Amino acid sequence: MVSHRKNHQPPRPSRGLVLSGGGARGAYQVGCFKAFRELGLDFPIVAGTSVGALNGALYCLDDIDGAERIWTTIATGDVLDVPSLVAGLVPLVAPGASSATASAPARKPWHAVLDITRTVLNAWRGFNRANKEKLACLLDRYLDPVALKRARRELIVTITTLRGTHYESTRDLSSRAIREHIQASASIPFVFDPVFSTSRLRLAWDGGANLFNPGALTPIEPLHKRGVREMVVVWLVPEFKVLSHLYPGARLTHIAPRKSLGNFLRFSPGRARKLMEMGYEDAMKALR
């Protein structure tokens, strides 16, 4: 199920930008932003999923230099709390664990399997909770939802709930809800806990998580439904497929990397710089 809130009928933007999800690969999009600025291209409306929603927010705030600073500052440890996962798994290898088991009354083999499974699940749940807190801290540090709501550019954020895919405009959300929806859109399942939206009273997570709507990872649909016919689509994978018949009349310009951008969970300043360079070069080539 896909929902589109229609609280009003805004004017039809002439050109739109679509930003795909892809975790740490998202630095590539910032390189594209630099090319847009150099070429004098402006997008009054942006649709983003996951990291595309995060980058889209910075683009809508006209803070391309800030986006570059963020990406060349953060490392994996700023996003993922790996030490919490390791600490949760320590009981599996802690000294004395085997002796304690040996001194205990005889147990069925499947009891040990249950113990291991319980330990792993608890460790992973703690990892997800800790990652959620880290992501929240990053958003609090770098995102101004009040300014985003007032920005001249509109951002459409893709989220997934138990009812399906939802496309939410910053024009229709409170400042608090904007913050919640952007965090939810970037909350990859099994890596981050879902986010509870106080404005919509629902749990939400990564906009690309709906397996029944693979197109949500690269949200062309909400812009097309808004009447946007000229779009620039930034992909984070070298190979992609667009079902053009779903978007009649659309003129799509695709920007995609020439090769794989690598691990979507590995953040580092050096890698971000390389991805931004690739994004800049590919955007200049596609748009000239």
Side-chain angles (χ1 to χ4, degrees):
M1 173 181 173
V2 178
S3 72
H4 303 266
R5 297 186 64 84
K6 297 182 180 180
N7 296 342
H8 51 75
Q9 292 296 327
R12 176 186 299 182
S14 59
R15 179 190 294 132
L17 175 63
V18 178
L19 300 174
S20 183
R25 303 166 184 158
Y28 178 90
Q29 295 171 342
V30 179
C32 296
F33 296 167
K34 295 171 73 174
F36 301 157
R37 181 172 59 186
E38 186 172 321
L39 295 171
L41 285 176
D42 183 67
F43 301 93
I45 187 169
V46 181
T49 296
S50 195
V51 73
L54 293 171
N55 282 335
L58 295 171
Y59 177 81
C60 288
L61 289 170
D62 203 19
D63 194 13
I64 298 173
D65 293 334
E68 183 175 7
R69 285 194 300 272
I70 293 168
W71 277 99
T72 54
T73 301
I74 61 173
T76 301
D78 298 312
V79 183
L80 303 177
D81 196 342
V82 177
S84 72
L85 178 60
V86 173
L89 295 175
V90 163
L92 296 179
V93 294
S98 59
S99 61
T101 301
S103 61
R107 307 172 70 208
K108 299 291 185 182
W110 56 269
H111 287 158
V113 173
L114 287 177
D115 288 344
I116 293 172
T117 302
R118 186 182 302 112
T119 299
V120 171
L121 289 177
N122 287 338
W124 201 261
R125 288 170 59 192
F127 177 59
N128 281 205
R129 284 194 299 269
N131 293 343
K132 179 181 179 180
E133 293 173 3
K134 280 185 171 287
L135 180 57
C137 288
L138 285 173
L139 290 177
D140 289 340
R141 188 185 312 164
Y142 296 118
L143 181 68
D144 184 348
V146 175
L148 184 56
K149 184 168 180 62
R150 296 173 179 170
R152 65 181 180 85
R153 297 183 178 118
E154 178 183 0
L155 175 65
I156 296 178
V157 180
T158 313
I159 62 170
T160 302
T161 72
L162 294 175
R163 299 184 63 185
T165 301
H166 301 259
Y167 301 113
E168 300 281 1
S169 169
T170 50
R171 298 284 192 264
D172 299 330
L173 297 170
S174 67
S175 298
R176 179 175 180 176
I178 289 173
R179 159 71 169 66
E180 292 171 343
H181 279 68
I182 291 176
Q183 181 176 351
S185 185
S187 295
I188 303 169
F190 308 112
V191 179
F192 300 91
D193 271 356
V195 175
F196 182 75
S197 170
T198 54
S199 62
R200 301 285 190 252
L201 299 179
R202 63 192 179 193
L203 283 174
W205 56 94
D206 195 306
N210 186 357
L211 299 180
F212 299 100
N213 184 18
L217 185 62
T218 308
I220 299 171
E221 178 185 357
L223 295 193
H224 188 264
K225 285 184 176 294
R226 281 283 297 274
V228 181
R229 291 297 176 264
E230 183 179 346
M231 292 178 242
V232 171
V233 185
V234 181
W235 301 82
L236 295 179
V237 291
E239 297 180 1
F240 58 87
K241 182 178 181 180
V242 178
L243 301 178
S244 301
H245 67 278
L246 297 178
Y247 314 112
R251 298 182 299 278
L252 306 178
T253 300
H254 300 285
I255 302 173
R258 291 152 287 170
K259 60 181 181 179
S260 172
L261 299 181
N263 191 326
F264 72 99
L265 290 177
R266 185 170 68 85
F267 297 81
S268 78
R271 183 185 183 213
R273 291 187 187 94
K274 292 179 180 179
L275 295 183
M276 283 189 281
E277 289 175 4
M278 289 178 61
Y280 172 83
E281 293 171 359
D282 291 342
M284 294 296 285
K285 182 178 180 180
L287 296 171
R288 273 177 171 167

